[in-house]
Amino acid sequence: MSSHSSIQEACFNVCCSSPFSSHSMTQKQEQEEEEELEFSVITPGASFLTKDIKFTSQESLPPLRTSFYDLITAFPDYLQTNQADHIRSTEYQNLSCSSRHVLLSHTSQQQPLFSYSQFRQLSGLNNSLFTLSSTQVSSGEEMLSLAREESQFQTRMRKRIMSFMNLEESEYDMILTQDRSSAFKILAELYSFKTNPNLLTVYNYEDEAVESMIRISEKKGVKPKSAEFSWPSTGIVSEKLKRTILRSKKRSKEDKRGLFVFPLQSLVTGASYSYSWMSLAQENQWHVLLDTSALGSKDMDTLGLSLFRPDFLICSFTEFLGHDDDDDLTGFGCLFVKKSSSQALSEEEAVTDPANLTVVKAEPNWIMLQNDETTLEDHNKASTSATEIEEDDKAIIEFRGLYHADSLGLILISRRLKSLTLWLVRALTCLKHPGSHQTETPLVKICGPKTRSDRGASVSFNVFDWQGEKVDPLMVERLAEREKVGLRCAYLQKIGSVGNKKRRDGESMSLRVSVVSVRLGFMTNFDDVFRVWGFVSRFLDADFVEKEKWRKKALEKEKKTNERRNSLRAF
């Protein structure tokens, strides 16, 4: 484990603060604390985003330059992160194009292995830098054995990824999967639920990968449990989760209680959770799976993970940052298994679907370039006469996307994302529908933490029209896609109902809430954030939504007409 003493001191209070203290807050107290903190993080008198400011139309928004000055006035530390802007301009030129964006949706938070310029240099005529070969395994032992059979390139890639993830090679095995969801499926199929019969998840949003694990466990006779979350902060209801961790039954003294699946942050709302939950689970005989998909690029360097070593980790990688969703690029998931916990992958478990036990191997698909002037034709000719050096060249290739995150470091990335996220939250809440001060209606309501300093880099919210009616988040997503703005519709779940209402069976009722979500990444800049603000402000114009409603109706009518015509032709 590498040493980061200054980082450890800075992170200890946030990472390891106990969520179990006697002063556990009520929902009302949480809301009051949010309101108190909401404006205190912005330097008093230094920002135009004060408590009384409001913008009632897109035209009333200040220009980009003025808004950027406001950002650096409120958060002067942001100027110390200009190294990220330099990397973006020289290595990720695709993000500067007007048709591209770097803001990530909640479904695609992946760390890039390469920079865009490096991808262009290496890809040649290929659409992807990797060729992934799939193998179906039948047991945990076979999976781990296959993972340990490596080419020179695979060894280098594993070492580089584990270094980036701050994991000891001697402590964990790394298994590549087709994607993040596949990693969850493999673990669900192989985990020994027979002897460790519980599954406990901590997600305040619907996640298909986690849902796949839940479905598999149910087929094996497990009754999955979930944490519950408060509203509107979307934080964990601590007492209920603590009770579930402590009281879930074990089969015998030698067995574990089950699998505790924990993400540290919400990928949708940005709510942060204490590392101490992992500690409590481990102390009470749970295996712990840490899902790192919501973490920032260097959050694995924090103190908490050096203290609480999870039994399993899941993450995912993509080739480069900022590609379109329909680009034919290769990414993969990673499942890390702690060697001392590998016995939890039981060979006695009945497999619900053999296709779920698919692992992959990555081999390079690129041509090494000698210089920038060399043509692709030259490369193709040279490749046949230089096979003897090709393996060495591919093995020592630099994973520049990982290097860029490493060079920026945890503190700089965290400082940058905190500044951008807090500014965006305040900017969104300053959008108001026209009206008197007493009757003004906010355009945006934040769902989740507002300006808490320990929040993550995801923001979820809903948009409301001038009558206070919620605008369908799916419509917001559709309009955002048209403008190339990275907003997505997501669904919050397990939200405790106001007043703690009960169902007929005595169980607490929980709410499901659709929201708009945006995720910021380590290459996000102020221009990206400003574009989101500008786009959302368009909903202050009532005609903007009405035009989209009429457009949708016209498309549906046209679709029905075409279907009718096609059915008549069939006769």
Side-chain angles (χ1 to χ4, degrees), residues 131 421-422 458 543:
T131 298
T421 304
L422 296 182
S458 297
D543 289 340

Side-chain angles (χ1 to χ4, degrees), residues 50-73:
T50 61
K51 197 169 186 176
D52 299 322
I53 196 71
K54 61 181 179 181
F55 300 100
T56 58
S57 67
Q58 186 183 25
E59 292 73 24
S60 68
L61 264 58
L64 174 64
R65 185 179 294 272
T66 304
S67 299
F68 179 73
Y69 181 75
D70 183 74
L71 170 79
I72 60 176
T73 303

Side-chain angles (χ1 to χ4, degrees), residues 189 194 220 347-352:
E189 292 284 16
K194 264 188 181 178
K220 297 187 173 198
E347 295 183 31
E348 299 177 4
E349 286 295 311
V351 175
T352 66

Side-chain angles (χ1 to χ4, degrees), residues 120-219:
R120 290 289 302 273
Q121 181 187 23
L122 294 173
S123 61
L125 296 174
N126 300 312
N127 292 324
S128 175
L129 293 183
F130 292 119
T131 298
L132 296 182
S133 57
S134 301
T135 303
Q136 194 168 301
V137 298
S138 58
S139 68
E141 184 179 353
E142 183 183 357
M143 178 184 72
L144 294 173
S145 176
L146 185 66
R148 292 164 188 164
E149 298 173 5
E150 298 176 324
S151 67
Q152 188 177 0
F153 169 76
Q154 290 162 358
T155 299
R156 171 164 172 76
M157 184 170 72
R158 174 180 55 79
K159 288 177 177 288
R160 185 63 186 91
I161 288 175
M162 294 189 79
S163 172
F164 178 79
M165 296 293 291
N166 205 22
L167 297 174
E168 292 286 353
E169 294 178 45
S170 60
E171 196 173 0
Y172 287 90
D173 283 305
M174 185 179 90
I175 298 96
L176 296 192
T177 63
Q178 293 167 318
D179 51 31
R180 174 174 169 268
S181 184
S182 297
F184 275 88
K185 290 177 183 177
I186 287 175
L187 186 55
E189 292 284 16
L190 294 177
Y191 183 74
S192 51
F193 283 117
K194 264 188 181 178
T195 52
N196 313 308
N198 296 290
L199 176 64
L200 176 55
T201 59
V202 188
Y203 289 80
N204 66 8
Y205 61 97
E206 293 180 3
D207 184 303
E208 179 53 37
V210 180
E211 291 299 316
S212 67
M213 172 175 272
I214 290 172
R215 288 192 294 269
I216 291 170
S217 72
E218 287 175 331
K219 291 178 181 178

Side-chain angles (χ1 to χ4, degrees), residues 9 13 106 203 213 381 399 518 564 567:
E9 291 175 11
N13 291 332
H106 66 279
Y203 289 80
M213 172 175 272
K381 289 177 181 177
F399 294 96
V518 63
R564 197 178 298 116
S567 62

Side-chain angles (χ1 to χ4, degrees), residues 531-550:
R531 284 181 63 197
V532 169
W533 191 36
F535 168 77
V536 174
S537 72
R538 296 183 67 181
F539 288 87
L540 289 167
D541 179 4
D543 289 340
F544 183 60
V545 177
E546 290 303 315
K547 286 176 183 176
E548 179 59 21
K549 288 180 179 178
W550 281 108

Side-chain angles (χ1 to χ4, degrees), residues 16-35:
C16 304
S17 59
S18 174
F20 323 125
S21 58
S22 58
H23 64 272
S24 202
M25 290 186 294
T26 64
Q27 291 184 18
K28 184 178 180 182
Q29 286 172 323
E30 283 184 344
Q31 190 168 1
E32 288 173 351
E33 185 184 82
E34 283 284 356
E35 290 172 355

